[in-house]
Amino acid sequence: MKKTLTILLLAACGLTAKAGDFETATSAVSNMRVGWNLGNTFDSNSGDVNNMWIENWSDRSPSSYETAWGQPVTKPELMKMFKEAGFNAIRVPVTWYPHMEATFKSVKWDNAKQALTPWDPSTDDIGTQIQADWMQRVHEVVDYVISQGMYCILNVHHDTGGANTAWLVASMDDYNKQKSRFEAVWKQIAEEFKDYDEHLLFEGYNEMLDPYDSWCFASFATPTHYDVNVATSAYDAINSYAQSFVNTVRATGGNNALRNLIVNTYCASCGSGSWNSHLQDPLKEMKLPTDNVANHLIFEVHSYIDVKNLSNAKSETKQILNDVKKHLASKGAPVIFGEWGTTTDKGYENYRSNLLAFARYFVEQTKANGMGTFYWMGLSDGDHRSVPEFNQSDLKDAIIKGYYGEDGYSAITPIRLSDSTYPRDYYDFAGRRLSPTQLRQGIYINNGKKWVISDTRNKR
């Protein structure tokens, strides 16, 4: 605890912690405990060259993008709430291309066509320089996380993916075209944060796809559903981007010389399923980048499982974990699920019991296998983040109990509350009402509200 406080004070004063103090990637994954994604916030973008609506209908300020996908401006109190609930890591997805050198001046509303004119990146290039105001705002939110003593993962997000605005594509032709830009972006990010301690991790890229936008495995979306040349080029490109990322960050020096760095498999695939012999290829073809330090790299995959049938969901989880250990972790780096959730989140109430049971099970199993987890975006959503409060507090409790056990998060120093501050009724994690004589020291949470009991004597 003293070490953490010392490092935070050094960071606040702009001083550099000794690189030799950095923990290994294995320790970092363990110490992150359980994490959450600040989704639909700094990753927001128009996502279609034919409908660049944010660029046309807003002033293009950082807050305009931060709130474009329905989330409020992020407050420090949100991070404090997650920390107090038991989370110890926040992934901050960031899309960078709208905040570089493109002007988007050609994007205008065409009354005759009742549509926006397209953005043409070939004549209005994004360049290589990140805008200072965007970097400053991202920096502020990273500090919100770090100031709570939590780990923060900062990445390059929807610059990849299936949208026609994505400029990072998994093919060797595209890698050769974008290598210099990719490295320039990461050099700026790395320089901005080079003095931060081990609580800050970088993730090189998100869900990168081949030129056909194939999910599951490379070349799946080709006419034949597998093309060895397309697949080989895609996997070679993923490994090339990963190596460029590591080389670029390490070259900036400072604490980046030992910073824990994260690389994703092709499309961040976890190899889920058995319906095709190529499903595990993204795991098998991923290489551990060459690094000049040992045990400071982490692999990342994503997982979204249908929980309509709870038994099937659990079986699928077991198979995923076995495949990830066999084909990925065995290469010499720990693994995190940088995004996870279920495909029935939109039908939350219809499958509530399955969702809660699965969430607890998934976190239990990943922890048992030494893998980290970052839930995708829910738990506190929309206006609830401004309060802040958990709008899915039962799901939050399931995740927390999955990691810490039935009593939930108790890994903090308890505080003594005076008699007058206690509510009339007490509830345990299961929602059972307890009389004062049944209370013991610990933390009691129900529907997102927490009572920390350090002394149960003389309660009425």
Side-chain angles (χ1 to χ4, degrees):
M1 185 64 172
K2 289 183 179 179
K3 177 185 175 184
T4 300
L5 290 173
T6 301
I7 292 174
L8 288 174
L9 287 171
L10 287 171
C13 296
L15 300 176
T16 304
K18 292 181 180 180
D21 292 337
F22 264 57
E23 66 188 346
T24 64
T26 303
S27 294
V29 169
S30 176
N31 292 333
M32 285 189 281
R33 304 182 204 164
V34 63
W36 178 72
N37 277 273
L38 183 67
N40 287 14
T41 304
F42 295 99
D43 49 330
S44 68
N45 67 108
S46 293
D48 184 353
V49 297
N50 297 305
N51 185 25
M52 301 297 287
W53 58 276
I54 302 177
E55 288 69 24
N56 184 71
W57 301 113
S58 78
D59 61 3
R60 296 193 60 215
S61 63
S63 62
S64 294
Y65 284 91
E66 186 176 354
T67 59
W69 284 3
Q71 301 300 327
V73 169
T74 307
K75 296 180 179 179
E77 291 82 1
L78 179 67
M79 304 309 169
K80 184 174 185 289
M81 179 185 75
F82 271 92
K83 175 66 175 181
E84 291 180 346
F87 292 81
N88 204 40
I90 303 292
R91 181 172 178 251
V92 180
V94 180
T95 302
W96 299 91
Y97 80 83
H99 313 285
M100 294 170 67
E101 295 181 68
T103 66
F104 303 102
K105 289 182 178 178
S106 64
V107 178
K108 299 178 181 177
W109 180 253
D110 187 327
N111 282 321
K113 295 182 178 180
Q114 288 293 290
L116 290 172
T117 55
W119 167 48
D120 183 1
S122 68
T123 60
D124 185 20
D125 192 69
I126 63 174
T128 60
Q129 297 301 306
I130 299 169
Q131 294 169 0
D133 60 347
W134 182 250
M135 183 70 85
Q136 180 182 2
R137 179 56 183 152
V138 171
H139 198 140
E140 287 175 349
V141 174
V142 168
D143 285 346
Y144 294 167
V145 178
I146 299 294
S147 68
Q148 293 299 321
M150 291 193 288
Y151 290 82
C152 181
I153 294 176
L154 184 62
N155 82 345
V156 169
H157 203 74
H158 287 308
D159 301 87
T160 68
N164 57 24
T165 50
W167 58 279
L168 292 173
V169 179
S171 80
M172 284 307 297
D173 284 346
D174 284 281
Y175 168 74
N176 289 329
K177 292 175 184 176
Q178 301 296 348
K179 177 178 183 291
S180 295
R181 176 180 287 143
F182 178 68
E183 292 176 350
V185 167
W186 267 114
K187 182 178 180 180
Q188 291 168 80
I189 299 170
E191 291 282 2
E192 180 76 13
F193 295 98
K194 69 189 298 181
D195 293 337
Y196 276 58
D197 75 357
E198 60 229 45
H199 287 83
L200 180 62
L201 298 88
F202 296 149
E203 174 194 326
Y205 48 85
N206 185 46
E207 298 170 342
M208 200 184 306
L209 305 178
D210 66 21
Y212 295 86
D213 294 339
S214 302
W215 292 98
C216 300
F217 57 85
S219 82
F220 175 62
T222 61
T224 58
H225 299 301
Y226 182 75
D227 183 307
V228 64
N229 293 324
V230 172
T232 299
S233 178
Y235 296 129
D236 285 349
I238 287 293
N239 289 314
S240 296
Y241 281 114
Q243 191 64 61
S244 286
F245 163 62
V246 172
N247 292 347
T248 300
V249 174
R250 293 287 183 247
T252 60
N255 287 340
N256 290 333
L258 285 175
R259 188 170 309 286
N260 291 315
L261 305 178
I262 303 167
V263 292
N264 286 349
T265 60
Y266 174 85
C267 78
S269 173
C270 63
S272 177
S274 58
W275 51 269
N276 190 292
S277 62
H278 295 289
L279 286 168
Q280 280 77 51
D281 286 0
L283 304 179
K284 295 176 182 179
E285 298 297 332
M286 186 73 203
K287 296 179 181 178
L288 183 69
T290 300
D291 199 1
N292 53 17
V293 291
N295 201 4
H296 285 285
L297 299 179
I298 298 170
F299 288 126
E300 179 177 323
V301 294
H302 298 171
S303 176
Y304 292 90
I305 295 178
D306 191 326
V307 297
K308 291 187 181 73
N309 185 308
L310 183 58
S311 178
N312 288 348
K314 289 183 176 181
S315 295
E316 184 176 351
T317 297
K318 287 183 178 180
Q319 187 60 56
I320 288 172
L321 295 178
N322 286 337
D323 289 338
V324 168
K325 286 191 296 183
K326 178 180 179 181
H327 300 305
L328 195 61
S330 61
K331 296 175 182 177
V335 177
I336 63 169
F337 284 80
E339 294 180 17
W340 74 276
T342 74
T343 59
T344 51
D345 281 346
K346 291 184 178 179
Y348 180 72
E349 291 302 322
N350 294 332
Y351 299 94
R352 181 175 178 176
S353 61
N354 281 10
L355 175 60
L356 299 181
F358 174 77
R360 179 166 180 170
Y361 176 83
F362 186 83
V363 174
E364 287 173 342
Q365 293 302 307
T366 49
K367 179 186 178 183
N369 284 277
M371 301 177 190
T373 55
F374 289 75
Y375 190 77
W376 177 254
M377 210 198 94
L379 306 181
S380 183
D381 198 11
D383 291 340
H384 296 279
R385 293 188 187 177
S386 291
V387 176
E389 64 183 0
F390 290 104
N391 63 296
Q392 291 182 319
S393 59
D394 53 353
L395 178 56
K396 177 265 298 178
D397 289 348
I399 291 171
I400 292 301
K401 287 194 285 186
Y403 189 86
Y404 295 99
E406 185 63 24
D407 287 337
Y409 176 46
S410 58
I412 64 173
T413 302
I415 58 174
R416 179 170 180 167
L417 305 177
S418 66
D419 290 351
S420 61
T421 64
Y422 283 103
R424 180 180 298 273
D425 298 320
Y426 301 83
Y427 298 86
D428 66 6
F429 271 92
R432 295 183 292 260
R433 182 175 175 175
L434 304 174
S435 70
T437 59
Q438 294 175 298
L439 289 178
R440 61 183 177 83
Q441 294 185 21
I443 296 179
Y444 297 81
I445 301 178
N446 188 50
N447 292 326
K449 192 171 185 179
K450 177 170 65 178
W451 298 95
V452 186
I453 312 299
S454 62
D455 188 342
T456 61
R457 294 172 295 174
N458 301 319
K459 298 297 181 293
R460 297 177 181 176

